[in-house]
Amino acid sequence: MIVIVGAGLAGLACATELHRHGKPFLLLDAGETPGGRLRTSIRDGFTLDHGFQVVLSSYSAVSKVVDIASLQPRYFESGALLAHKGRFAHLANPLRHPLALFENLTSPVFSFRDKLLLGTLVTRVTMSSDASLLSRCKSTKDLSTRDFLRQFGFSPFFLARFAEPFFGGVLLDGDLGTSAGLFLYYLKKFTTGRAWILASGIAAIPTQMASLLPAGSLRLRTRVMALDVKNHRACGVTLENGEHIAASCIVLALTEPAACQLLERPVPEPARSVAVVYFKSLQSIYPNPCLVLPESGSGRVRHFAQVTNVAPELAPTGFHLITASVLDFADLTDEMLAQSVKNEIAAIFPNAATSLEYLETIRVPYGVPFQPPGFAKRKPFSDLPDGIYAAGDWMGGASIQSAISSGLDSAHSILNPHCS
Ligand SMILES: Cc1cc2nc3c(=O)[nH]c(=O)nc-3n(C[C@H](O)[C@H](O)[C@H](O)COP(=O)(O)OP(=O)(O)OC[C@H]3O[C@@H](n4cnc5c(N)ncnc54)[C@H](O)[C@@H]3O)c2cc1C
């Protein structure tokens, strides 16, 4: 028997691939629903994702495990609105909107030097392979994103107006301490792909994946408490209720701390967390189908979006849904946080002051793992007992793409043991 522990995207991708090859397995998850960190809840008819999560059309792994078209993807405009002192400017992605190149070059948002540097960097990353960009994450020469951007010559103004709000939000890392290799990889994925969300919420991805698995192969509300290993070989798992399930192959499709706990190894430092604050509004606060980036240092909001500009289905008819991501929130109650977020949005779009009605705050303590410079050179699980495989987003670049890829890789290692 093959037991997969964890039915997040990594575990579901592993299960999907094993099923495709006719291999029986049992997928176990401690949660109420499959999907792990891809969660959506419904409140008063509004569809609320647990964190602002987008999929990029440049993520090649997604279409291997889901039928994207049937999920009703809704696409963001490729670019962002940059807010500064009560005004905002549009920054478009010239690879997606060639006519915007002139607009970008003539716009007073950034200095000519910053625009030239951005053009040079974007050209470089789009001409590099994913593997070569990610190989930086294994190098001792890898820098933090902040140091890399500074060394490349970008001005502090560019960092505060674009890099910190945009990539700080993507990496859930306001200080840009994340590996520059990972930043360059995301820069490529964002410039060559378009971001989408789903009309019925991000959890539709794992829901579809789980629905295609054989009946009885997924057990929810089933926490694995221990791995049973004899003579350095996997022989099963023990559940919270004391049940023992024999297994010659175990895939740990978990977060790194959860996997470390089961393997009785030191647990790594806590991950990066985020809070999303939701508002409803009867009035539209801005019309564009894109993200708004407040200048960093101007408040707590990293970015916000009126997501119904992209997917009107997320709110009941006549309403708009606004989501704001905040990284620095631990000291505030939900009400204080909501007020501070509302004030910040109203400083950019004054009609928000009267039109935004607070809906809900969702705090996500484990967002993505810390991925400092050179993080991929660590080999935390290089000496696993025979028959135990590790998967999970933390093995690559902490994304939907890396979670699915790691799950597919673990399935291939089981199916082709001599190639792994
Ligand atoms: C707020 C937020 C925003 C994000 N934004 C983006 C984005 O825009 N784009 C992007 O690509 N990625 C984004 N990500 C990252 C992406 O969601 C994750 O990389 C991906 O979902 C991780 O999947 P996983 O399967 O590796 O782990 P998880 O989803 O964490 O799955 C692990 C599973 O293991 C289960 N489990 C844990 N312990 C046990 C146990 N002992 N027994 C049984 N089951 C157990 C858990 O219940 C869980 O279901 C974001 C993440 C968050 C939280």
Side-chain angles (χ1 to χ4, degrees), residues 6 8-10 29-30 36-38 53-54 59 224 254 274 392-393 399-400:
L9 285 182
D29 197 286
R37 271 169 276 164
L38 256 54
Q53 303 221 31
V54 297
Y59 282 175
V224 171
L254 300 166
V274 64
D393 66 336
S399 67
I400 288 167

Side-chain angles (χ1 to χ4, degrees), residues 75 78 110 112 162 200 220 249 321 338 348 351 379 386 405:
Y75 288 86
S78 188
F110 299 124
F112 185 71
F162 180 66
S200 52
L220 296 169
C249 260
L321 178 66
I348 299 165
N351 67 344
K379 292 252 182 296
D386 294 340
S405 298

Side-chain angles (χ1 to χ4, degrees), residues 312-326:
E313 303 89 341
L314 296 172
T317 310
F319 279 97
H320 302 274
L321 178 66
I322 293 94
T323 170
S325 300
V326 182

Side-chain angles (χ1 to χ4, degrees), residues 245-279:
I245 299 174
S248 54
C249 260
I250 304 170
V251 179
L252 299 177
L254 300 166
T255 60
E256 190 179 9
C260 286
Q261 230 164 13
L262 285 180
L263 289 162
E264 298 176 353
R265 297 185 181 194
V267 173
E269 48 186 328
R272 300 195 181 277
S273 43
V274 64
V276 271
V277 186
Y278 281 102
F279 298 92

